[in-house]
Amino acid sequence: MNWQAAEAELFGDVLVHQDRRPAAFLPGFADTPAAHVGVARAEMLLTSLALSENARSEGDGDDHAEPSSALQRVEAKIDLVLGLLGTMLRERGDLPPPTVLRWSTRGARIDVLGDALAIRPGARGVLRVQPADWLPDCIELPSHVIAVEGARAWLAFEPLSPNLADALERHLFRLHRKQVAESRRLR
């Protein structure tokens, strides 16, 4: 498949989000028992992330009461601990390096870092991605390579469970909404 067909298959008529975040394709990990646990874990992480971010944004509107200073201090401390944990994980090499990632509920296009020649069309594995900047953890989505062009690879997700597909769609919508709000704020 050429890259134009891959773009149409993965991103045609669906919500797409693109940004720079820690992500990598790990060939060969899709059929391991750990990969099956990773799918359930990805669903749990995305669902928990949604609950956390919804709770954080509840105080953003004018019609909501201002959070107490004690709650703000607790949230600030948690943010500091998560930042420290994220730094430690990056130093250990547990997080993939930041790269340009374009993704939808169907798959992703990733700028491959390192040995791009190791990724071939048909290769199966997982897309490992840090879903939120403040969360020092990754989700792993089973996928296979459908196209490669230069240092870019197009990955189609293996069929996701309905719950995981729904959690991923909601997550991508929140990321897209934040990106639109940020671009409006900068104008």
Side-chain angles (χ1 to χ4, degrees):
M1 176 180 297
N2 64 30
W3 69 269
Q4 294 96 337
E7 283 280 322
E9 181 176 322
L10 299 178
F11 308 125
D13 299 327
V14 293
L15 178 68
V16 177
H17 180 72
Q18 180 173 315
D19 65 356
R20 185 171 176 78
R21 69 179 47 254
F25 177 68
L26 306 174
F29 288 94
D31 295 328
T32 65
H36 297 290
V37 170
V39 169
R41 192 168 174 284
E43 181 183 330
M44 183 273 308
L45 267 175
L46 289 175
T47 302
S48 298
L49 185 59
L51 290 172
S52 174
E53 290 191 351
N54 287 342
R56 285 174 174 244
S57 67
E58 281 180 359
D60 291 346
D62 294 333
D63 58 340
H64 296 287
E66 192 65 31
S68 72
S69 60
L71 179 59
Q72 288 175 331
R73 285 194 302 274
V74 169
E75 285 183 350
K77 288 177 182 178
I78 290 172
D79 287 343
L80 288 172
V81 169
L82 288 172
L84 178 62
L85 183 59
T87 301
M88 290 172 26
L89 289 172
R90 273 189 293 280
E91 289 173 359
R92 279 189 23 204
D94 289 346
L95 292 177
T99 188
V100 176
L101 176 69
R102 183 174 192 208
W103 51 333
S104 74
T105 54
R106 295 181 190 155
R109 182 191 74 209
I110 185 168
D111 286 359
V112 180
L113 302 173
D115 189 10
L117 297 176
I119 298 178
R120 301 262 186 235
R124 295 197 175 285
V126 294
L127 174 65
R128 183 172 165 79
V129 60
Q130 182 182 12
D133 296 335
W134 60 269
L135 180 68
D137 204 352
C138 291
I139 59 173
E140 294 178 350
L141 301 168
S143 52
H144 62 277
V145 180
I146 60 172
V148 176
E149 178 75 28
R152 283 192 170 159
W154 285 260
L155 314 171
F157 294 144
E158 300 296 338
L160 303 175
S161 71
N163 290 339
L164 178 54
D166 186 49
L168 180 59
E169 184 173 25
R170 286 192 317 264
H171 180 69
L172 291 171
F173 178 75
R174 279 192 311 281
L175 290 175
H176 177 72
R177 189 176 62 201
K178 284 181 189 177
Q179 196 173 51
V180 168
E182 183 65 27
S183 68
R184 286 182 182 159
R185 206 175 9 252
L186 294 175
R187 284 190 223 167

